[in-house]
Amino acid sequence: MKITGTFIDEISHDIPHQNWGPDEWDRDFGLMKAVGIDTVIMIRSGYRRFLTYPSAYLQKQFGCYRPPVDLVELFLQLADKHGIKFYFGLYDSGHYWDTGNLSHELDANRYVIDEVWQKYGHYASFGGWYLSMEISRRTKGATEAFRMLGSQCKQVSGGLPALISPWIDGKKAVMAASPQLTKEDAISVLEHEKEWSEIFEGIQGAVDAVAFQDGHIDYDQLDDFFAVNKKMADQFGLQCWTNAESFDRDMPIKFFPIKFEKLRLKLEAARRAGYDKAITFEFSHFMSPQSAYLQAGHLYNRYQEYLKTF
Amino acid sequence: MKITGTFIDEISHDIPHQNWGPDEWDRDFGLMKAVGIDTVIMIRSGYRRFLTYPSAYLQKQFGCYRPPVDLVELFLQLADKHGIKFYFGLYDSGHYWDTGNLSHELDANRYVIDEVWQKYGHYASFGGWYLSMEISRRTKGATEAFRMLGSQCKQVSGGLPALISPWIDGKKAVMAASPQLTKEDAISVLEHEKEWSEIFEGIQGAVDAVAFQDGHIDYDQLDDFFAVNKKMADQFGLQCWTNAESFDRDMPIKFFPIKFEKLRLKLEAARRAGYDKAITFEFSHFMSPQSAYLQAGHLYNRYQEYLKTF
Amino acid sequence: MKITGTFIDEISHDIPHQNWGPDEWDRDFGLMKAVGIDTVIMIRSGYRRFLTYPSAYLQKQFGCYRPPVDLVELFLQLADKHGIKFYFGLYDSGHYWDTGNLSHELDANRYVIDEVWQKYGHYASFGGWYLSMEISRRTKGATEAFRMLGSQCKQVSGGLPALISPWIDGKKAVMAASPQLTKEDAISVLEHEKEWSEIFEGIQGAVDAVAFQDGHIDYDQLDDFFAVNKKMADQFGLQCWTNAESFDRDMPIKFFPIKFEKLRLKLEAARRAGYDKAITFEFSHFMSPQSAYLQAGHLYNRYQEYLKTF
């Protein structure tokens, strides 16, 4: 299964920044394109006080800092240039992480969606929306939030698709800042199916594609979970994508590029399950030949060799 | 605000060593100079049993190891060559970290100061002293220690300046080996002012400049804390420098180069507060084009572009 | 003391993978050879479900994944080409780490040893066996396991030597995924001698060489522990090697290349104790000029300069 999309990790939560300028981004879009990527998804347009674009609203309302570069504009220009679709990731105020309450995300993004479409909607490469709340089964109010935000995104943009990328509450679902690598109380396939069926039912029509993160379960659980995900997606009319994480969750150093063999196992499981598309989190740190992590360039080479076997 | 000084992290506490030889150091001094750095501050001359120079006293008294290279001599020669001032950082026996008691630091450094001035005082670039105890508000006996050591440094060297670089006990003041990134019981601006006014009063005359580490508070607290720091420094006749940390305290990987935007926010806050000088911890790992962390080279480029906007 | 052997960290437990292909491995064997390495030791042939070679037995019995490349064959071909001896590391099922019980390791490896010797025993460079259980003093059943596995390895291969590399239960013996760097209840030299004398007595004849990992004790304890290790090895007819770890256990980032001075201290302590051979864990991440950790290339240069002083 070929990776045809990647997140762009701006603003980053937990992966150190590479400090790239426009030249490095231009080169990276070219490297993505060369390996078959047709979609980039900006993971979020802002996180707490840091922004990717100079939002008048967010600077005023949340005291956000004016960014040194308008990354949304840069990414859209590069997407236009390289013939890649760009998905815009909504704003993450951080209040949900602190309080478990999504109301700030809803309030803020109601304005952000309008502001962004007005500012950037004319770019040919503006291809969709990413609802950036990373939720799992227990996120209170997530269904409602996804439905409201997805609907608004689609309505304002003439129906451009909306994507979510939740995580499975599996054994590797631990906080990035935790020293642990696994936890005991992982979800079963049955619970996963029951809870996500309810969520999928609630969001159908407002969300077009779901790309579960594939790194929180063990490799021998991939087939079971993927089969259920595909079944649910079909039932509720969603596209079923995989978010093939290209970093390694099994190592004490958080986070470095994944061993190619592990990425391959995950991609092949997605193929077996009949998934519609594979995207990755993310190319520029973990698969790019110009990444600061030199293992990433070798992963790029191994992945290219793999493509030749198709 | 321009960075005109940098620490050199020898002997390192918590940042892995780059294993550079004289050639790499020579090149790095050149790269520093090219970007406007006129001062290097060796963070400490020794840490526990590891030394930067073959101190007869410390080998005998503390069982320290004879170092493979005399780094103090090397740095002074390179400082002479590149026209940079060198500050010598005192010895850290580690006993303070284990016991909370500074008496070993006082005893050891009384000898170290004399030994070092005798051995290296003739270098033209020997420009000052760094009192290497990294203290915060609750460090018992710190005022007394700073006064005694600073006075001796200045007296033996004909009045060369003495520098300290304490940390603010803010929300990010957690141990490097801790998985946590923040803590709950951060200090308020008022407490900070009260406690540091007492310390500044006690050290005036013996210490010439104070460079608070800027990484332990949040970005929206910079203005408040910086204003107080400058006010206190002025009141007690100290120069007010900022120690602009060029590594990122917000990431689970400890520690990688900072996102340029964050560094810029901190430098601009120092400018607004009327600070006298900006130094960084530290150039060679986090801002150098030859750093093992390739993000550092990109930070160097972004910083150079920033300098052109002045 | 010269390093003449290195582990190859396939399958890795805790060091992120470099994603090298045959070209990078070929170059690395050349770089090893150039610096005096005559022995490579593959740390384990498999770990849980991941394998270095397509073992029919392990795929069937443990549900292991078929690896994308046969690394055992690749390493043996490169060892033949470069004139290096290859030690084969046994399979680690992971059950011991989960349960404290070595029975799975014994059951699995009884088959693995036969399978491997049949498949790869004809390679000229197949030079020995590595009993990959990393044990310390409290490992129940370790003596028995080492004796049985070592005997079978030697018997099937016409007496090729068997190596173990246990750890000293010293102050730095903490789990890789733990944020701590040291612990309180470290073993004393006397306890170490008492307990390991019993183990050595139990394995004599079945194991030929023991290479204690040198990174779990402090630098000023090296001489005491090394003297006892050599004495015990002599007493029970084992060769005494040192496993000179080339990564740094003293840093919060786990794990990056060691400072050269520390490696030198450990090698010189092994020389003083009259050790027979020095190997390292491991060259390709921590000492190789093509490592993703650029500090490793500088360590390679420092180590080469050191060799010239002999």
Side-chain angles (χ1 to χ4, degrees):
Chain A
M1 180 134 202
K2 208 172 158 172
I3 295 169
T4 56
T6 181
F7 282 95
I8 299 179
D9 193 30
E10 299 273 355
I11 305 295
S12 177
H13 243 299
D14 47 18
I15 315 288
H17 203 270
Q18 304 212 68
N19 288 309
W20 286 356
D23 288 350
E24 286 84 17
W25 281 115
D26 189 5
R27 212 154 40 227
D28 227 48
F29 274 57
L31 289 161
M32 292 173 193
K33 184 78 182 180
V35 83
I37 285 174
D38 57 31
T39 309
V40 295
I41 303 131
M42 192 177 72
I43 190 119
R44 53 188 78 84
S45 46
Y47 177 57
R48 299 186 189 264
R49 290 176 189 263
F50 289 94
L51 298 180
T52 54
Y53 76 103
S55 162
Y57 169 75
L58 291 170
Q59 290 179 77
K60 177 148 174 278
Q61 200 67 19
F62 288 83
C64 293
Y65 309 121
R66 185 177 181 82
V69 180
D70 184 338
L71 287 172
V72 176
E73 186 167 73
L74 174 67
F75 293 149
L76 281 162
Q77 287 169 347
L78 293 175
D80 272 4
K81 173 179 168 185
H82 292 277
I84 290 178
K85 285 240 161 302
F86 174 85
Y87 277 57
F88 178 89
L90 298 189
Y91 173 68
D92 180 346
S93 73
H95 282 93
Y96 165 69
W97 300 105
D98 298 340
T99 65
N101 188 317
L102 280 163
S103 63
H104 277 81
E105 266 61 44
L106 279 172
D107 291 348
N109 280 304
R110 254 200 292 268
Y111 288 87
V112 166
I113 293 167
D114 285 341
E115 185 183 55
V116 160
W117 184 251
Q118 211 175 329
K119 245 170 121 76
Y120 306 107
H122 63 283
Y123 280 97
S125 55
F126 200 120
W129 303 88
Y130 172 59
L131 312 184
S132 63
M133 300 81 214
E134 284 182 42
I135 67 153
S136 186
R137 54 181 174 145
R138 289 203 194 86
T139 312
K140 240 179 68 185
T143 307
E144 186 66 15
F146 278 163
R147 197 174 60 231
M148 287 178 59
L149 294 172
S151 300
Q152 188 187 341
C153 286
K154 295 176 70 66
Q155 185 259 320
V156 82
S157 63
L160 286 183
L163 167 71
I164 62 171
S165 186
W167 38 282
I168 299 170
D169 197 19
K171 63 183 279 202
K172 302 185 196 173
V174 295
M175 299 299 289
S178 156
Q180 268 73 53
L181 300 178
T182 57
K183 64 177 186 180
E184 293 298 322
D185 58 330
I187 197 171
S188 70
V189 179
L190 274 177
E191 290 169 292
H192 176 75
E193 180 170 9
K194 181 176 167 307
E195 293 174 12
W196 278 98
S197 290
E198 285 175 31
I199 299 175
F200 279 17
E201 184 173 18
I203 61 175
Q204 63 179 319
V207 171
D208 299 86
V210 57
F212 275 106
Q213 302 170 29
D214 73 356
H216 297 87
I217 52 175
D218 217 335
Y219 301 94
D220 58 322
Q221 301 176 301
L222 290 167
D223 282 329
D224 288 347
F225 277 94
F226 280 16
V228 160
N229 289 344
K230 177 66 168 132
K231 190 174 89 178
M232 292 190 291
D234 286 348
Q235 183 180 352
F236 296 104
L238 289 157
Q239 280 200 40
C240 192
W241 298 8
T242 188
N243 177 355
E245 295 178 347
S246 39
F247 62 95
D248 203 319
R249 288 191 181 269
D250 305 331
M251 299 286 145
I253 202 166
K254 294 186 174 177
F255 298 100
F256 269 17
I258 201 169
K259 186 185 186 185
F260 169 65
E261 180 181 4
K262 294 179 176 178
L263 181 60
R264 199 192 63 161
L265 281 173
K266 300 191 296 181
L267 290 173
E268 305 219 319
R271 182 185 50 74
R272 281 193 298 274
Y275 272 36
D276 299 299
K277 187 180 176 78
I279 60 177
T280 185
F281 180 90
E282 37 85 290
F283 182 86
S284 302
H285 282 96
F286 304 121
M287 294 190 73
S288 170
Q290 63 175 355
S291 167
Y293 303 143
L294 300 181
Q295 304 93 337
H298 295 296
L299 181 56
Y300 187 86
N301 294 337
R302 297 296 83 76
Y303 176 69
Q304 276 199 316
E305 290 161 10
Y306 171 63
L307 289 185
K308 286 179 195 142
T309 65
F310 285 7
Chain B
M1 181 139 203
K2 209 173 159 171
I3 295 168
T4 57
T6 182
F7 282 96
I8 298 179
D9 192 31
E10 299 273 352
I11 306 297
S12 177
H13 243 299
D14 47 19
I15 315 287
H17 203 270
Q18 304 211 70
N19 288 308
W20 286 357
D23 287 350
E24 285 85 16
W25 281 115
D26 189 5
R27 214 156 36 229
D28 227 49
F29 274 57
L31 288 162
M32 293 172 191
K33 185 78 181 180
V35 82
I37 285 174
D38 58 31
T39 308
V40 295
I41 303 131
M42 192 178 71
I43 190 116
R44 53 188 78 84
S45 46
Y47 177 55
R48 301 187 188 263
R49 291 177 188 261
F50 289 93
L51 297 179
T52 54
Y53 75 102
S55 163
Y57 168 74
L58 291 171
Q59 290 179 75
K60 177 148 174 278
Q61 200 66 18
F62 287 83
C64 293
Y65 309 121
R66 186 178 180 81
V69 180
D70 184 338
L71 287 172
V72 175
E73 187 167 73
L74 174 66
F75 293 149
L76 281 162
Q77 287 169 347
L78 294 175
D80 272 5
K81 172 180 170 186
H82 292 277
I84 290 178
K85 285 241 161 303
F86 174 85
Y87 277 58
F88 178 89
L90 299 188
Y91 173 67
D92 180 347
S93 72
H95 282 93
Y96 166 69
W97 299 104
D98 298 338
T99 65
N101 188 317
L102 280 163
S103 64
H104 276 81
E105 267 60 46
L106 278 172
D107 291 348
N109 280 304
R110 254 201 293 269
Y111 289 87
V112 165
I113 293 166
D114 285 343
E115 184 183 56
V116 159
W117 184 252
Q118 212 174 324
K119 244 171 122 75
Y120 307 106
H122 63 281
Y123 280 96
S125 56
F126 200 121
W129 304 86
Y130 172 58
L131 312 184
S132 62
M133 299 82 215
E134 283 182 43
I135 67 154
S136 187
R137 53 182 174 144
R138 291 202 191 85
T139 313
K140 242 180 66 185
T143 306
E144 186 65 18
F146 279 163
R147 198 175 58 233
M148 288 179 59
L149 294 172
S151 299
Q152 188 187 339
C153 286
K154 295 176 71 65
Q155 185 259 319
V156 80
S157 63
L160 286 182
L163 167 71
I164 62 171
S165 186
W167 39 283
I168 298 169
D169 196 18
K171 62 183 279 199
K172 301 184 197 174
V174 294
M175 299 299 287
S178 156
Q180 268 72 53
L181 300 178
T182 58
K183 64 177 187 180
E184 293 298 322
D185 59 329
I187 198 171
S188 70
V189 179
L190 274 176
E191 289 169 293
H192 176 76
E193 179 168 10
K194 182 176 167 307
E195 292 174 12
W196 278 99
S197 290
E198 286 175 30
I199 298 173
F200 279 16
E201 185 173 19
I203 62 175
Q204 63 179 318
V207 171
D208 298 86
V210 58
F212 276 105
Q213 302 169 29
D214 72 355
H216 297 87
I217 52 175
D218 216 335
Y219 301 92
D220 59 322
Q221 301 176 302
L222 289 167
D223 281 328
D224 289 347
F225 277 94
F226 281 16
V228 160
N229 289 343
K230 176 66 169 133
K231 190 175 89 180
M232 293 190 292
D234 285 349
Q235 185 182 350
F236 296 104
L238 289 157
Q239 280 200 40
C240 193
W241 297 8
T242 188
N243 177 356
E245 295 179 347
S246 39
F247 63 95
D248 202 319
R249 288 192 182 269
D250 305 331
M251 298 287 146
I253 201 166
K254 294 186 174 179
F255 298 103
F256 269 18
I258 201 169
K259 186 185 185 186
F260 169 66
E261 181 182 3
K262 294 179 177 178
L263 181 61
R264 198 191 65 161
L265 280 172
K266 300 191 294 181
L267 290 172
E268 304 219 320
R271 182 186 49 76
R272 281 193 298 274
Y275 272 37
D276 298 300
K277 187 180 177 79
I279 60 177
T280 187
F281 181 91
E282 39 83 289
F283 182 86
S284 302
H285 282 95
F286 304 119
M287 294 189 73
S288 170
Q290 65 176 354
S291 167
Y293 303 143
L294 299 182
Q295 303 94 335
H298 295 296
L299 181 56
Y300 187 86
N301 293 338
R302 298 295 84 75
Y303 176 68
Q304 276 199 317
E305 291 162 8
Y306 172 63
L307 290 184
K308 286 179 195 144
T309 66
F310 285 7
Chain C
M1 180 137 202
K2 207 172 159 172
I3 295 169
T4 57
T6 181
F7 282 95
I8 298 179
D9 192 30
E10 299 273 354
I11 306 294
S12 176
H13 241 301
D14 46 19
I15 315 287
H17 203 269
Q18 304 212 69
N19 288 310
W20 285 357
D23 288 351
E24 286 84 16
W25 281 114
D26 189 6
R27 212 153 42 227
D28 227 48
F29 274 57
L31 288 162
M32 293 173 192
K33 184 78 181 180
V35 83
I37 285 174
D38 58 31
T39 308
V40 295
I41 303 131
M42 191 178 70
I43 190 118
R44 53 187 78 84
S45 45
Y47 177 56
R48 301 188 189 262
R49 292 178 187 261
F50 288 94
L51 298 180
T52 54
Y53 75 103
S55 163
Y57 169 75
L58 292 170
Q59 288 180 78
K60 177 148 174 278
Q61 200 66 18
F62 288 82
C64 293
Y65 309 121
R66 185 178 180 81
V69 180
D70 183 339
L71 286 171
V72 175
E73 185 167 75
L74 174 67
F75 293 149
L76 281 162
Q77 287 169 347
L78 293 175
D80 273 4
K81 173 180 168 184
H82 292 277
I84 290 178
K85 284 239 161 304
F86 174 85
Y87 277 56
F88 178 90
L90 299 188
Y91 173 67
D92 180 345
S93 72
H95 282 93
Y96 165 69
W97 299 103
D98 298 339
T99 65
N101 188 317
L102 280 163
S103 63
H104 277 80
E105 266 60 45
L106 278 173
D107 292 347
N109 281 303
R110 253 200 292 270
Y111 289 86
V112 165
I113 293 166
D114 285 341
E115 184 183 55
V116 159
W117 184 251
Q118 211 175 325
K119 244 170 120 75
Y120 307 106
H122 64 280
Y123 279 97
S125 55
F126 200 122
W129 304 87
Y130 172 59
L131 312 184
S132 62
M133 299 82 215
E134 283 182 43
I135 68 153
S136 187
R137 55 181 173 143
R138 290 203 193 86
T139 312
K140 240 180 68 186
T143 306
E144 185 66 16
F146 279 164
R147 198 175 60 232
M148 286 178 60
L149 294 172
S151 299
Q152 189 188 339
C153 286
K154 295 176 70 66
Q155 185 259 320
V156 80
S157 63
L160 286 184
L163 167 71
I164 62 172
S165 186
W167 38 282
I168 298 170
D169 196 19
K171 63 183 278 200
K172 301 184 196 174
V174 294
M175 298 300 288
S178 156
Q180 268 73 53
L181 299 178
T182 58
K183 64 176 186 180
E184 293 300 321
D185 58 329
I187 198 170
S188 71
V189 179
L190 273 177
E191 290 170 293
H192 175 77
E193 180 170 9
K194 181 176 168 306
E195 293 174 11
W196 278 97
S197 290
E198 285 176 30
I199 298 173
F200 279 16
E201 185 173 18
I203 61 174
Q204 61 179 320
V207 170
D208 298 86
V210 57
F212 274 107
Q213 302 169 29
D214 73 355
H216 297 87
I217 53 175
D218 217 336
Y219 301 93
D220 58 323
Q221 302 176 302
L222 289 167
D223 281 330
D224 288 347
F225 276 94
F226 281 15
V228 159
N229 289 344
K230 176 67 169 129
K231 191 176 89 181
M232 292 190 291
D234 285 349
Q235 185 181 349
F236 297 103
L238 289 157
Q239 280 201 41
C240 193
W241 297 8
T242 188
N243 177 355
E245 295 178 346
S246 39
F247 62 95
D248 202 318
R249 288 191 181 270
D250 305 331
M251 298 287 146
I253 201 167
K254 294 185 173 178
F255 298 101
F256 269 17
I258 201 169
K259 187 185 184 183
F260 169 65
E261 180 181 4
K262 295 180 176 177
L263 181 60
R264 198 191 64 160
L265 281 172
K266 299 191 296 182
L267 290 173
E268 305 219 319
R271 183 185 49 75
R272 282 194 297 274
Y275 272 36
D276 299 298
K277 185 179 179 78
I279 60 176
T280 186
F281 180 90
E282 37 82 290
F283 183 86
S284 302
H285 282 96
F286 304 121
M287 295 190 72
S288 170
Q290 64 175 356
S291 167
Y293 304 143
L294 300 181
Q295 303 94 336
H298 295 296
L299 181 56
Y300 187 86
N301 294 337
R302 297 297 83 75
Y303 176 69
Q304 276 199 316
E305 291 162 10
Y306 172 62
L307 289 184
K308 287 182 193 138
T309 66
F310 285 6

